[in-house]
Amino acid sequence: MASGSDLPHIVILGAGFGGLFATQAMARLEARITLIDRHNYHLFQPLLYQVATAGLPPSDISWPIRSILRQQRNVSVVMDEVLGVETSQQRVVLRGGPVDYDFLIIATGARHSYFGHNDWSHFAPGLKSIDDATLIRRRILHAFEQAEMLPRHDSQAQARERLLHFVVVGGGPTGVELAGTIAELARFTLARDFRRIDPRSARIVLIEAADRILPGFEVSSSGYAQAALQRLGVEVLTRTRVSGCSVDGVELETPDGQRLSTDAATVIWAAGVEASPVGRWLGIATTAGGRIAVNGDLSIPGHDTIFVIGDAALVKDQHGSPVPGIAPAAKQQGRYVARILKARLHHRPAIAPFNYRHQGNLATIGRGAAIIEYRGLRLRGRLAWWVWGAAHIYFLLGVRSPLLITIRWLWEYLSYSRGARLITGTTGPPENKPGS
Ligand SMILES: Cc1cc2nc3c(=O)[nH]c(=O)nc-3n(C[C@H](O)[C@H](O)[C@H](O)COP(=O)(O)OP(=O)(O)OC[C@H]3O[C@@H](n4cnc5c(N)ncnc54)[C@H](O)[C@@H]3O)c2cc1C
């Protein structure tokens, strides 16, 4: 048996779905694996909106990477930030110093895209990390607190309306989940918590540039989601573009070319993503959205020891369509690269190109409705919501006791309590204008 330092060194960048699943799939491989992430936790991003809307505390959806991998002896975990890759030296540049590799798997995911307007991020935070989620939670809850503090006088009506006006930009699954859940927070959870304001009067607007929300779903599912949101009191504006974001709210361009200003204290960005800067690190061209177009075995052109997977990669399915940037795709790619490396290290014949298996589309609209599209199956409504809940609990198996989360969800479902209503960090967003 080879000694530790003689073993091939596999370096994995990112402990999200792709990186973690690749690591776990190589548990029995005779190799040295180093898993590097800028955070010390693995994040279950599909439930981030629950943290942002006070339904779950951060620790219910994120787990220390070291504890997940405690039993896996061939892995070392490094908490550091990737700054670049020197392919000619087979070396990753970290903030804390370089790390050499024999094989490199890059799974650093994606971040928000403001379509060239990065200054908007200050006024319209996106939802990608625990810090983003707690910032959004703070802004939402603080807006209600500020509105409550305004004198009841009529002269304050406009300031109050502005504080109770929430805009979500982007009608994909995350925007739909956020808008529906903020509406429920205002209409049910907070309804009786305040004395001067009626939280049920909050205005929640969802803005989508395409001609329907959930554009990745079937047309009838989009119609169902729009009707379900409207029942919760959410205004849905389609074919409407955001042309500006500021401390005052958003500027909109309507389908007939008009420009409107909307005063809103809380704006949340769920409109676009771009891959982490892997193209810059590797010095290679990227496709739209910053993704790296990979070979059929997920390696990059010209380097058969470097693989890019998950949201950072542009992978084609068997029909030539891009594989979506969703968790099951990243997991499948992580497991696939693990198989490739096992075959190579055991001198077995090369395996067939990556073959994506789509497991369906899922979205929820508040706590009473969801949409499931799975092969020929179409499920909508309350039953779909329960299936969605069960599916997420199943996905959590193996990372953290799902029982605790199940109990918490059931309790919140029955009581509308959203018990994580904590304003943490600075007492309020300084950029939120108080009432004038
Ligand atoms: C709000 C939200 C909701 C979502 N909902 C769903 C859903 O319901 N269903 C679904 O299937 N998918 C959903 N997704 C998409 C899904 O989470 C992603 O497709 C998936 O996480 C991609 O996996 P990945 O491994 O490519 O990247 P990620 O899971 O994003 O992991 C990337 C990792 O790399 C680390 N990293 C990044 N840059 C650096 C660096 N420079 N140095 C060190 N470490 C770095 C990050 O800390 C992170 O841990 C959602 C995403 C978001 C943001």
Side-chain angles (χ1 to χ4, degrees):
M1 187 170 167
S3 75
S5 55
D6 295 337
L7 292 174
H9 189 202
I10 301 169
V11 173
I12 302 176
L13 309 182
F17 286 106
L20 186 64
F21 275 70
T23 306
Q24 290 179 318
M26 292 189 284
R28 300 225 179 99
L29 193 63
E30 251 195 67
R32 271 188 310 134
I33 301 173
T34 302
L35 177 60
I36 300 168
D37 201 290
R38 56 155 73 111
H39 296 125
N40 73 337
Y41 55 83
H42 167 75
L43 175 61
F44 193 83
Q45 291 175 15
L47 290 178
L48 261 180
Y49 81 97
Q50 286 282 352
V51 174
T53 54
L56 292 173
S59 57
D60 272 6
I61 65 158
S62 45
W63 307 278
I65 301 163
R66 288 184 192 283
S67 71
I68 298 172
L69 297 171
R70 188 178 292 145
Q71 311 288 347
Q72 192 173 328
R73 306 305 305 173
N74 63 353
V75 183
S76 304
V77 176
V78 172
M79 183 182 152
D80 205 341
E81 175 144 26
V82 179
L83 300 179
V85 179
E86 291 171 359
T87 50
S88 56
Q89 308 292 317
Q90 302 221 143
R91 186 191 288 164
V92 178
V93 182
L94 303 179
R95 197 169 284 287
V99 173
D100 294 339
Y101 63 81
D102 296 307
F103 297 95
L104 179 64
I105 303 175
I106 304 181
T108 42
R111 51 201 176 152
H112 323 295
S113 164
Y114 288 86
F115 310 119
H117 299 279
N118 287 346
D119 52 311
W120 294 356
S121 65
H122 190 57
F123 310 109
L127 185 59
K128 195 69 194 148
S129 66
I130 289 289
D131 288 340
D132 296 334
T134 51
L135 169 71
I136 290 171
R137 181 178 74 181
R138 180 161 77 229
R139 287 201 184 175
I140 294 172
L141 296 176
H142 198 248
F144 286 102
E145 295 294 339
Q146 281 184 300
E148 172 82 350
M149 279 162 62
L150 289 176
R152 272 191 206 183
H153 201 268
D154 280 353
S155 64
Q156 301 298 330
Q158 213 181 335
R160 197 175 301 115
E161 270 173 29
R162 182 182 164 277
L163 286 166
L164 296 181
H165 187 180
F166 300 86
V167 172
V168 178
V169 185
T174 300
V176 167
E177 283 164 353
L178 278 169
T181 317
I182 296 170
E184 286 184 345
L185 183 72
R187 309 273 184 268
F188 304 109
T189 311
L190 300 181
R192 286 182 296 170
D193 281 12
F194 291 86
R195 298 293 171 262
R196 288 179 170 184
I197 58 162
D198 180 357
R200 290 171 299 185
S201 66
R203 186 174 168 215
I204 296 113
V205 181
L206 176 65
I207 294 167
E208 168 57 46
D211 59 0
R212 60 187 176 102
I213 57 169
L214 298 181
F217 287 61
E218 288 185 0
V219 174
S220 60
S221 298
S222 300
Y224 172 84
Q226 179 154 343
L229 282 172
Q230 283 165 340
R231 275 198 299 279
L232 286 171
V234 176
E235 293 169 47
V236 179
L237 303 181
T238 52
R239 297 170 65 216
T240 302
R241 280 182 189 283
V242 170
S243 52
C245 279
S246 70
V247 66
D248 293 318
V250 282
E251 247 182 42
L252 303 177
E253 235 178 80
T254 61
D256 52 8
Q258 280 189 50
R259 281 180 178 253
L260 297 176
S261 289
T262 303
D263 268 7
T266 310
V267 182
I268 304 170
W269 191 261
V273 290
E274 67 182 354
S276 47
V278 180
R280 182 160 54 75
W281 295 341
L282 296 172
I284 60 175
T286 57
T287 60
R291 290 177 156 208
I292 304 288
V294 291
N295 299 322
D297 67 353
L298 310 186
S299 65
I300 62 166
H303 294 272
D304 67 355
T305 55
I306 303 178
F307 302 85
V308 182
I309 62 173
D311 283 4
L314 175 70
V315 181
K316 296 279 177 69
D317 67 12
Q318 46 280 40
H319 310 293
S321 305
V323 168
I326 56 175
K331 290 180 191 175
Q332 288 176 29
Q333 291 164 28
R335 290 199 193 104
Y336 173 84
V337 171
R339 280 179 54 218
I340 293 249
L341 292 185
K342 280 183 207 168
R344 286 222 201 142
L345 296 182
H346 292 146
H347 307 289
R348 290 202 294 253
I351 59 176
F354 176 70
N355 182 10
Y356 173 61
R357 290 176 312 285
H358 190 54
Q359 295 173 344
N361 293 325
L362 279 176
T364 56
I365 310 112
R367 51 164 240 161
I371 300 168
I372 297 176
E373 295 178 348
Y374 177 69
R375 300 196 177 151
L377 178 78
R378 302 283 168 271
L379 204 56
R380 289 171 193 158
R382 202 169 288 276
L383 179 62
W385 190 90
W386 284 102
V387 174
W388 170 89
H392 278 73
I393 288 162
Y394 170 78
F395 291 140
L396 294 173
L397 285 170
V399 236
R400 169 76 179 267
S401 161
L403 186 65
L404 284 176
I405 298 174
T406 312
I407 293 168
R408 201 189 310 266
W409 275 4
L410 277 176
W411 170 245
E412 299 214 342
Y413 187 81
L414 296 171
S415 68
Y416 274 112
S417 69
R418 306 202 77 76
R421 295 201 306 275
L422 310 176
I423 298 178
T424 54
T426 55
T427 48
E431 65 276 22
N432 258 12
K433 276 198 311 197
S436 48

